[in-house]
Amino acid sequence: MLKVTTSTCTLWNVNKVHLANHQPRCRQGRVGSTTCVAKGTNARKRAQMPFRQELKAQAPKRVRHSADAQLVDRLQGISLGFVGDNTQLNCEVAEHTAKLLEYVPLATPRIIQQLTGQSPDDIVEAEGLAALGGAEVVVLGSLSTQIRSCIATCGSGGGAAARGDCWRYLFGFITIWLDDTWQKDSDAPQREAYEQAEIRVVIAKDDSEVMTVPQVAQALLEQILQRVTELVRKDEDLCGKKGVYMKFGCRGDWPDLQPPDAKASVQGSAVSGAE
């Protein structure tokens, strides 16, 4: 079993690696249990390392549209998280959205593979779905204070987003559920967890059948930006509140934040319905 070494962690030194230049290479996992029981698993131990995110977005040489700039201002640095069963689509949408907003694109499947030496599929095969969920929770915890990022998560019911009790860090982002229901079982257990996302974007079957995943991702951009804009305009305090939630340590008490000295739940079980 491969272990994370100190040299692995140098991947996260912003002076040596600029993640925005890397294209995410994601592999889909499997649909499985909705229970997040990952303590003590090897994957969780390998992912649980004291690496620090000090990433800074380097703006591309482009002119950002005024509407995009206004949205960035309204977001107040809050990151966007993309969940759903299609891992590749999550990664592609995060990549394209990050370019438009001049955010940093990040993909938890790739981070997990860099830290553990195993792909999400390999972890599931060797240690089970709970191990992958636990490893991704650790990675999300490390990214929980990362601002101005677009973060793609593991799909196919195998990651943290598929488990309602593992959402404590995802609540710190504005989460978008990329719903390709027609490809999956409409009664799949992970759908209940995905419903905690603020925004749900349904992918049409016709589009998915005639276009590649990158083309689908590109086609969804306008709708995603419009929905996010509508959300932050409707609730002007949302981003500020998420900032406070992050400052308090993403304790799982979203959306009813408790005082700093209160003993808040860390289960992440509060429900915020997708629009």
Side-chain angles (χ1 to χ4, degrees):
M1 188 70 67
L2 295 177
K3 296 183 179 180
V4 180
T5 62
T6 302
S7 61
T8 304
C9 296
T10 60
L11 291 171
W12 298 99
N13 188 326
V14 71
N15 296 319
K16 296 181 180 180
V17 175
H18 181 210
L19 292 183
N21 290 330
H22 290 267
Q23 297 291 336
R25 293 182 173 85
C26 305
R27 296 175 62 185
Q28 297 189 2
R30 303 176 186 175
V31 176
S33 169
T34 60
T35 303
C36 182
V37 182
K39 292 184 179 179
T41 61
N42 293 331
R44 184 185 181 95
K45 290 179 180 178
R46 291 194 303 274
Q48 197 166 16
M49 296 193 61
F51 70 91
R52 180 186 173 104
Q53 295 294 330
E54 297 289 352
L55 306 176
K56 294 183 180 179
Q58 297 182 9
K61 302 299 182 180
R62 60 181 294 275
V63 178
R64 185 167 56 192
H65 294 299
S66 60
D68 298 341
Q70 291 175 10
L71 174 56
V72 169
D73 291 340
R74 289 179 180 273
L75 287 173
Q76 301 176 40
I78 296 299
S79 295
L80 304 182
F82 296 91
V83 304
D85 280 338
N86 192 326
T87 304
Q88 184 183 1
L89 183 61
N90 295 345
C91 294
E92 290 286 350
V93 171
E95 184 80 20
H96 288 300
T97 305
K99 289 180 180 178
L100 283 178
L101 298 180
E102 297 180 6
Y103 270 33
V104 175
L106 297 170
T108 60
R110 183 165 58 84
I111 295 173
I112 289 171
Q113 182 159 359
Q114 289 176 327
L115 292 178
T116 67
Q118 290 181 299
S119 71
D121 283 345
D122 292 338
I123 291 174
V124 171
E125 183 176 354
E127 302 180 44
L129 287 165
L132 175 59
E136 188 170 35
V137 166
V138 172
V139 171
L140 289 172
S142 300
L143 299 178
S144 61
T145 57
Q146 175 67 32
I147 63 173
R148 299 184 181 89
S149 299
C150 289
I151 300 169
T153 62
C154 297
S156 297
R163 295 156 175 78
D165 57 351
C166 293
W167 268 64
R168 56 176 294 199
Y169 298 118
L170 288 167
F171 287 140
F173 313 139
I174 289 179
T175 48
I176 298 105
W177 173 17
L178 305 176
D179 183 8
D180 56 347
T181 303
W182 67 273
Q183 290 186 345
K184 305 290 182 182
D185 180 3
S186 60
D187 295 325
Q190 64 266 29
R191 292 182 60 80
E192 183 177 355
Y194 295 153
E195 288 174 357
Q196 296 180 111
E198 280 89 10
I199 295 171
R200 175 189 177 196
V201 176
V202 179
I203 291 87
K205 179 178 179 180
D206 292 342
D207 291 341
S208 297
E209 288 181 335
V210 300
M211 293 191 292
T212 64
V213 171
Q215 289 173 334
V216 172
Q218 185 68 43
L220 292 175
L221 280 183
E222 183 176 351
Q223 181 183 173
I224 289 171
L225 294 178
Q226 180 180 354
R227 297 286 298 280
V228 175
T229 300
E230 291 173 352
L231 177 69
V232 296
R233 282 180 176 174
K234 181 180 179 181
D235 186 351
E236 295 182 352
D237 297 327
L238 177 64
C239 293
K241 187 176 179 180
K242 283 186 176 289
V244 173
Y245 176 77
M246 292 165 53
K247 184 177 181 180
F248 286 176
C250 297
R251 300 177 301 173
D253 54 345
W254 183 266
D256 301 317
L257 305 188
Q258 302 300 308
D261 56 348
K263 185 178 180 180
S265 167
V266 295
Q267 296 302 310
S269 57
V271 176
S272 176
E275 295 184 349

